[in-house]
Amino acid sequence: MPETNAAPELNGLYFQLLNEIGIINQLSRAAFEARLPDGMVLPQFAVINHLIRVQDGRTPLQLARAFQVPKTSMTHTLAGLEKRGFVEMRANPDDARSKQVWLTEAGRTFRQTAIASLAPDVAAFSDTLDRDELVEVIATLARLRKRMDAARD
Amino acid sequence: MPETNAAPELNGLYFQLLNEIGIINQLSRAAFEARLPDGMVLPQFAVINHLIRVQDGRTPLQLARAFQVPKTSMTHTLAGLEKRGFVEMRANPDDARSKQVWLTEAGRTFRQTAIASLAPDVAAFSDTLDRDELVEVIATLARLRKRMDAARD
DNA sequence: ATTGACTGGTTCGATATCGTACTAAATGGT
DNA sequence: ACCATTTAGTACGATATCGAACCAGTCAAT
């Protein structure tokens, strides 16, 4: 029995896509965390990574939005990073309610080490897609990501 | 300073890809859970969905492997589903240690309802990719997923 | 048949994640 | 200036996730 929608099977394909994405995410998460030291967890690494990519000094709320997690979760993640000395929380000069998250030297070198230790895992399947395929699939997913982001009002 | 690897920038592209995947996964997870009733959570829905797609009667361990989660997590997820009456745990006739997970009528109708209530969310961005793009990106990711799955020994 | 290794599942304790409720600072309308 | 509303962050309690240890059933070698 087909759906009653205007473009019925499209939805099914999107479900399938999100499903694949979920599985890959789970696989990479498991692999990543296996490499990270002791209790270090993927979101913490992701935050460091993000701060490198888009400059540090972000506020906790900006980070929470970037990762689509509740701000309480970000508070927790940042607390963990601060306890390990990978980030430093400073007051926001523009807004006394707010804070800024800055990477420490330890945080930066940790990222380098982590990426290096992750490389072999990536290398284990890096022959799957060639450069052109990678570039294309990244572009496609980025398009979808932006659209989804915009769609959530 | 460039990496010392044979195909340096490839790794970077893979990181980028996994990053996009992570964000999309987070976005869809948030959207999905917003629709699901009360304390119902994405992994529970995913299990029901999986049981429909590949026939129910799977064992908990098979499910844990399919989703790449520890078996303890699956035990917990299944307990939740059973408490809600969406699945039924039966003894495995072939192995007394093992169990089988079967969908109940309630579980099946719940899935129908959930998918219907999710459809509008998908529709909100379903104009982003056309059928051909979808098919292609799904195929590419499926290839990567299988490769990653195989790579974890 | 007996024993030792292995496998499927649960229990338990530690941490992560999240929603609700709260505090303090900023903003906007009068 | 004043007060109501909004915004940034935190505290707290509930649930989810996970690793380690455990138990019972299976398998394989003898």
Side-chain angles (χ1 to χ4, degrees):
Chain A
M1 186 187 224
E3 287 108 311
T4 57
N5 194 305
E9 338 76 55
L10 264 193
N11 273 6
L13 287 175
Y14 273 102
F15 274 102
Q16 226 179 306
L17 174 57
L18 294 179
N19 195 40
E20 286 295 344
I21 286 179
I23 297 176
I24 292 178
N25 191 60
Q26 187 61 42
L27 283 166
S28 60
R29 175 177 185 134
F32 271 45
E33 292 191 346
R35 294 286 182 192
L36 293 177
D38 63 85
M40 191 83 179
V41 90
L42 185 57
Q44 295 177 338
F45 176 77
V47 165
I48 294 182
N49 222 24
H50 182 84
L51 288 176
I52 294 266
R53 278 190 303 127
V54 307
Q55 199 63 307
D56 50 355
R58 304 280 102 186
T59 72
L61 194 54
Q62 284 175 323
L63 293 172
R65 285 188 178 134
F67 287 98
Q68 278 302 299
V69 298
K71 44 185 186 166
T72 56
S73 304
M74 189 50 65
T75 297
H76 182 75
T77 301
L78 292 174
L81 286 173
E82 197 179 14
K83 187 162 57 181
R84 288 164 200 274
F86 292 157
V87 303
E88 198 178 280
M89 310 289 288
R90 302 190 198 152
N92 187 335
D94 300 332
D95 186 335
R97 295 169 300 178
S98 183
K99 295 183 176 175
Q100 292 180 336
V101 187
W102 295 89
L103 287 167
T104 63
E105 258 329 293
R108 291 171 194 277
T109 60
F110 169 79
R111 172 171 176 273
Q112 289 298 98
T113 315
I115 286 183
S117 80
L118 258 37
D121 288 307
V122 175
F125 55 80
S126 64
D127 57 341
T128 312
L129 309 177
D130 61 39
R131 171 178 327 280
D132 291 346
E133 284 177 308
L134 271 172
V135 169
E136 190 182 341
V137 71
I138 290 171
T140 305
L141 291 184
R143 202 144 56 84
L144 178 61
R145 186 248 305 161
K146 284 174 192 149
R147 190 75 179 69
M148 287 178 72
D149 211 351
R152 64 178 183 91
D153 308 340
Chain B
M1 187 187 223
E3 287 107 315
T4 58
N5 192 305
E9 338 77 53
L10 264 193
N11 273 7
L13 287 175
Y14 273 104
F15 273 102
Q16 226 178 306
L17 173 57
L18 294 178
N19 195 39
E20 286 295 344
I21 285 179
I23 297 176
I24 292 177
N25 191 59
Q26 189 60 43
L27 283 166
S28 60
R29 176 177 184 133
F32 271 45
E33 292 192 345
R35 293 287 183 189
L36 293 176
D38 63 88
M40 191 84 180
V41 89
L42 186 58
Q44 295 176 338
F45 176 77
V47 166
I48 294 182
N49 221 24
H50 182 82
L51 289 175
I52 293 266
R53 277 190 304 127
V54 308
Q55 200 63 306
D56 50 355
R58 304 281 102 185
T59 72
L61 194 54
Q62 284 176 321
L63 293 172
R65 286 187 176 134
F67 287 98
Q68 279 303 300
V69 297
K71 45 187 186 163
T72 57
S73 304
M74 189 50 65
T75 298
H76 181 75
T77 301
L78 292 174
L81 286 173
E82 197 180 14
K83 186 161 56 177
R84 287 163 200 273
F86 292 158
V87 303
E88 199 178 280
M89 311 289 288
R90 301 190 198 152
N92 187 336
D94 300 332
D95 186 336
R97 295 168 300 180
S98 182
K99 296 182 177 176
Q100 291 179 337
V101 186
W102 295 89
L103 288 166
T104 62
E105 258 329 293
R108 289 171 196 277
T109 60
F110 170 79
R111 173 173 175 272
Q112 289 297 100
T113 315
I115 286 183
S117 80
L118 257 39
D121 288 308
V122 175
F125 55 79
S126 64
D127 58 340
T128 312
L129 309 177
D130 61 38
R131 172 177 327 281
D132 290 346
E133 284 175 309
L134 271 171
V135 169
E136 191 183 340
V137 70
I138 290 171
T140 304
L141 291 184
R143 202 144 58 84
L144 178 61
R145 185 249 306 163
K146 284 176 191 147
R147 190 74 180 69
M148 288 178 71
D149 210 350
R152 61 179 185 92
D153 308 338

